[in-house]
Amino acid sequence: MGGKVTCTLGEVKQRADFIIYWGGNPAECHPRHFSKYTLMQKSKFLPKGRKDRTMVLVDIRETKSVKASDIFLQVRPGKDFELITILRALVKEQQVTDEQIEETGLSREALNDLVSRMKAAKFGCMFFGMGLSMTRGKHMNSAALLTLAAEMNAFTKFVAMPMRGHGNVTGADVIMRWQTGFPFGISFNRGYPRYNPGEFSTIDVLVRGDCDAAFIIGADPGGTMPQPAINHLKRIPTIVLDPHITHTSKLARVHITTAAQGIAAPGTAYRMDEIPMPLKPALKSPYPSDEEVVRRINEAIAKKPFWLPEGSMPQMVTEQV
Amino acid sequence: MLRITGGKVYDPANKIDGQIKDLNIDADGKFSDGQCDSRTIDATGMIVMPGGVDVHTHVAGGAINFARAMTPEDHRRTQAFIRTKTRRSGLGGMAPTTFATGYLYAGMGWTTVNEAAVPVLSARHTHEELADIPIVDKSTLTLMANNEIMLDQMEAGEYERARDVVAWYIWAAKSYGVKAVNPGGVAAWKWGGDARNLSSPIEGYNKLTPGTIVTQLARICDDLGLPHPMHLHCNDLGAPGNIKTTLDTLKHLEGSRAHIAHSQYHAYGGDGWETICSATAELAEYFNSHPNITTDAGAVIFGDTVTITADGPWQHLLYKLTGRKWGNLDVENETGCGIVPYTYRPSNLVNAVQWACGLELLLLIQSPWQVFLSTDHPNGGCFWRYPEIIKLLMSRDFRDECIKKLPSNIKNKIVLPEIAREYTLMDVATSMSAGPARALGLKQKGNLGTGCDGDVVIYDQEDDPGEMFAHPRYVIKAGEVIIDDGEIREAPDGREYIAKPFYDPATNDFMRPLFEDCYTMQFENYPVEIERVHGASIHDCKNDQDS
C-alpha cells in the first residue's frame, strides 16, 4: 500500500465515464463540483455529458447527493474499510464469504454489479471525503481506497482524489512539502524539520500543552478543535490573523484584521488537485494582507539576536536519531 | 571584486587545460580583464573549473513535490540542515527540500541547474518552488510532446499552427525550452495505453505517429530559435531491446539539433529481463558520427532512490514489477507523471547492466562536448552522488573493483570491463560544465572567459577524485564566495532563464476556445505572470534569429 494514483480535475471533466463519490456530500459541500468537473460537463470524449457518465455514491446515509447519483450504496457505519477490502478481492476474483459481505450492509449482487461496471469503464475516478478519511479506520480507509484505484489499473484506467475542503489547505500542504519535505505535523524544535502526526500535529501539541505561544492564519481552530486544545490556546499568547471575528479571534490575546484573500488581497490558492490558481482581488481593503503582516513580523524578529549563540550547535546532522 | 591567483585552470570553452592562470571577477559578478584590488584567493596548487551545470534534473514542481510526500521514511534517516543565520533548515536525501537542494548543489560546485519537466498548468507552482532554491541559477523545460492541442494540429498537418502553439505555451509557462517525454505514449496512457514504436498511430489518433511528433517538434524548436534544442525522453524507456526504438528515433531527428535525455535508459539489447544487455556501443557509434546531437548519461548509482517521470505508463510497469508505492498524476491536456521509489542493487542483473550502461556511454562517446554527467536526478540516483560517478570515470582500477561485485553472469552483457579510457580533468570540466552550458545555449555559463558569469569551483588537488569533487575548497557564484572550506557563507538568490519565442499574435484567439474546451481554469489565469518569476532573465529568440 502507498502512493496515490490521481489526475487533475480537467482529466475527469474530459474523460471520466465512471465516477464514485465515497463518504462525501458534494451536492452540499462542494456545490460546483458536479457542474464544473465531474457530471454535467460535455467533452470531445463524452459528447453527451451526464448521459455518458455513471455516478455511484457510497455513504452511510442518504444525503442530498443521492439525487444526483445513478447508484447509491448505503454502507454500514464504520465498515468502509471492510467494503473496500472486499472490492479489492472481488476485482481480483478472490473468494469472499457471504458473512463478510453481509457485515457491510450490502448485497453480493450490488457489489458484483459495481465491480463489473468499474472494469467496463474507460476512465474511472473515485473521490473520497471526510466520511471515509475521518471515521473509524481513518488514514487506513484512505490508503485502502487509493490501493483499490491503483489495482484497478490492471484492468482499465482508474484514479482517485480526496475531496479537500477549507480555504487553501492544499496550498499549505504543498508549500510545507517543498520547504520541509512534510505536509503537516512538523516540529522545528531541533532546528530542522521532523514529522510525526499524532505527536507534532497541532491538536496534539496543544492538548499536551507543549507550546507557549500560538500564531494562527486563515483558520478557526477555536470552533473545531477539542476543548483541551482550545483551553490551552486561551492560556497562552495566541495571535490570530483573520479578516473576520471568529471563535479563535475572540479567545486570542491579539487579533490583527487582515484583507480577505482573493477578495481584497492577491495571492495563490491551490485547488484540491494541487493546481495553483492566482487570486485577483476585486476590492480594496484598508487592512494589510496576511503576507504583509507576516513579512513585517519577520523583519522585526530579524532585528533581534539570533536564537542560538554562534557555534553552539552543529550545522548539520548526517544521520538522524 | 574577487581575484583568484595561481590555480591550475581547466576551462574547456577557452581550451585552457591545466595552465596556471589568474582570474578576475568584477563588481557585476563577471570575469574581467582588469585587475581589481579587493579580496584575493590564493589558489596555488589548487584546481579551478567553471561551476557545474546540470542539464537534466528534477528539483522543483508538482512531480518532485509529490515524491517528497511519498517518502517520509527517507527524510527521517537522511542528512538534515539546521537553520543558521545565513541558511534555512531542510532535508537532503532522495528528494531534497528546496533550500537543501540549493545548498547541496552549491556544496558540490554546481551553480546552474535545468529543471527538465514542467507541465504548464503547474508552472506557477514550479517557479515559486524554484524561487526557494537558493544560490544556483535555474531554467525550466515545458512538457510538450503529449499536449493534445498541439497533437491535433500535427494530426491535421498544420505545422505552422503547431509551432505557434508551442511558442505560446513556452511563454505562458515562462520556461526556457521544450521537453518531449515518450511522444504520444503519455497521451495514450490517458486511456491506459502506451506508444512503444515510432510508426504506429497513437491511440485516439488516425495517422499521427510518435515519429512525426519527434521530427516536427525538433524542427519547431529549431525554427523558433530556442537556445536549447528539443530535449527528448525517447519512447520505450527502460525496456529490454529498446535500442531499436532509440536508433529509430535518432533517424527521425536527422537534420535537426536535439538533446537526448538520460540515454542510459534507452540503450538496452536483449528481448526480456533475463536477456537484457548493454547496447551502448551501437548508440555511442551514432553519437560519434552525429555531432548535432547531445545527450546526458542518466547514469545509475546503486542504492535507494525515487523515480519520477512524466512517463506514466512506464511507472505503472515499474509499480507492477516492484510492488512498491505508486504515485500517478495525469495533467489535463498536457502530460502525465509517475512516481515509484526504487532501489538499484548490484546483485540484480538488470540493475547491474544499467549501472554499466551509464558509464559506458560516458566513456564510449568520444567527445565530452556531447555527453554530460547526469543521473536524471533522482531517477538513476541523487545528484549529490555525482562525485562517485566522476571517480568511476577517472579511474579504471576503481571501475574494475566495482565490476567484481556484480553478478558473475553479467559477462558478455556489458562492455565496461574492456574500456580503458579514463577521464582527464579537462574531460570532467567539459562533461559537468562547459558541455551542458553550451548545449543549453547558456553562453555565459561553463566558461571562464571575459564577460561570462563568475561561477567558479576550486578544489584542493587530491589523489581520490571522489573525495576531491565531493568537497570543493571554494565555490564562487557571480563573484561571491558561497562555500569556503565546507561552510556555506552566503546563500544569495539565483536567476531564472526564460526564452521568449515569437508567435503569431492571433494564436491567443486561436487557443482560447480550444483551451476552454479541455481545461478547468480561466484562460486569462493560465499564463504565469512574469512578476511571479524571481530573478527572470529573458532570452529573446526572435532577435537572436535576426542577428
Side-chain angles (χ1 to χ4, degrees), chain B residues 500-537:
Chain B
K500 189 174 186 184
F502 173 81
Y503 56 85
D504 181 352
T507 311
N508 239 5
D509 297 331
F510 170 75
M511 284 294 298
R512 182 188 292 271
L514 299 174
F515 181 95
E516 284 168 355
D517 217 32
C518 51
Y519 283 90
T520 46
M521 68 191 287
Q522 292 297 318
F523 186 65
E524 285 75 16
N525 286 339
Y526 182 74
V528 178
E529 306 86 336
I530 190 75
E531 306 78 58
R532 284 189 181 245
V533 183
H534 297 245
S537 168

Side-chain angles (χ1 to χ4, degrees), chain A residues 150-210:
Chain A
E151 289 174 348
M152 276 305 295
N153 281 274
F155 306 95
T156 184
K157 181 81 186 179
F158 236 90
V159 296
M161 196 186 301
M163 293 288 283
R164 307 202 68 175
H166 303 293
N168 208 9
V169 59
T170 307
D173 246 44
V174 166
I175 291 172
M176 291 311 283
R177 257 151 55 199
W178 86 51
Q179 296 201 339
T180 73
F182 306 117
F184 63 93
I186 305 157
S187 166
F188 291 97
N189 64 6
R190 287 188 190 167
Y192 63 90
R194 288 181 305 148
Y195 173 64
N196 198 14
E199 183 182 8
F200 302 141
S201 11
T202 319
I203 290 180
D204 305 280
V205 171
L206 288 171
V207 168
R208 283 198 312 272
D210 274 1

Side-chain angles (χ1 to χ4, degrees), chain A residues 13-40:
Chain A
K13 168 188 155 182
Q14 285 281 81
R15 297 167 203 269
D17 56 348
F18 190 80
I19 294 151
I20 302 176
Y21 284 99
W22 196 307
N25 178 12
E28 288 183 282
C29 303
H30 295 80
R32 303 269 281 145
H33 212 255
F34 293 153
S35 56
K36 280 188 84 172
Y37 307 121
T38 57
L39 296 184
M40 309 316 291

Side-chain angles (χ1 to χ4, degrees), chain A residues 6 8 10 15 157 280 315, chain B residues 87 148 328 330 332 525:
Chain A
T6 189
T8 64
R15 297 167 203 269
K157 181 81 186 179
K280 295 174 181 166
Q315 294 200 4
Chain B
R87 204 178 68 195
E148 288 157 38
N328 179 79
D330 294 338
E332 59 210 52
N525 286 339

Side-chain angles (χ1 to χ4, degrees), chain A residues 288-303:
Chain A
S289 67
D290 290 330
E291 195 226 345
E292 194 194 331
V293 174
V294 174
R295 189 168 43 76
R296 282 164 60 183
I297 292 175
N298 253 337
E299 282 167 9
I301 290 174
K303 287 185 193 135

